[in-house]
Amino acid sequence: MSAVVVAWTLAGPGGRLEHRASVDPAGVHLELGVDGTRTQPLDLPRGHLVPSLIRTLKIRPVKGAAGSVRPFPTARMAELLGEDQDVRDAALYEVSARTAWSIAVDSWQLAGINGANGVHLALDDKLTPMTNTAFYRLLCQQLGAY
């Protein structure tokens, strides 16, 4: 098995962090974004990729989350994840999100938001709510081999 590279971004009012993981038979090598310019290397055993994603994406239980499907052009995720803090803040406020995130590995990509109404995936020009458990299972299905 050759190395697989997983890249993910977390963006919010406090800034934007880019993370990468290289996964090979020996384990998971993370380069965690510390700020806009520095990264922190971390080596983990195989099987720790999904928990690392959950932790760095700041997925937390939200008591009383009552998310609903709502229209949102998927192309606008670029505003939520972009470098421009003012544009990002306005877009986060518009969708009632604390943070936005994206994950990419090979041709598979996923993006969404975290907020007071829980996790929402950006799919087919909609923000679709998903429980934290269902989100974890989705990541395990897609990335569990890593």
Side-chain angles (χ1 to χ4, degrees), residues 2-144:
S2 62
V4 173
V5 175
V6 181
W8 65 104
T9 301
L10 176 71
R16 182 177 183 276
L17 296 175
E18 294 182 8
H19 309 288
R20 296 178 74 79
S22 179
V23 185
D24 61 32
V28 179
H29 176 73
L30 298 173
E31 288 292 331
L32 299 174
V34 176
D35 56 30
T37 60
R38 297 178 298 139
T39 61
Q40 172 69 43
L42 181 63
D43 291 314
L44 298 171
R46 286 191 51 112
H48 284 77
L49 177 62
V50 171
S52 297
L53 281 165
I54 295 293
R55 184 176 202 111
T56 56
L57 292 176
K58 301 181 188 260
I59 304 299
R60 309 276 191 274
V62 178
K63 186 176 183 177
S68 59
V69 175
R70 55 188 192 238
F72 184 77
T74 308
R76 289 200 54 215
M77 283 304 296
E79 295 173 29
L80 292 164
L81 295 165
E83 297 280 347
D84 188 317
Q85 186 72 54
D86 292 335
V87 170
R88 187 170 60 243
D89 286 348
L92 288 166
Y93 178 78
E94 180 185 335
V95 297
S96 302
R98 284 190 307 271
T99 58
W101 50 266
S102 68
I103 305 167
V105 56
D106 294 328
S107 63
W108 185 77
Q109 295 184 6
L110 188 65
I113 61 170
N114 302 329
N117 290 317
V119 174
H120 285 68
L121 303 184
L123 301 167
D124 301 321
D125 291 329
K126 292 184 279 248
L127 290 172
T128 303
M130 178 171 264
T131 67
N132 289 0
T133 302
F135 181 62
Y136 190 87
R137 287 182 182 145
L138 172 67
L139 291 180
C140 286
Q141 287 172 342
Q142 293 296 322
L143 306 172

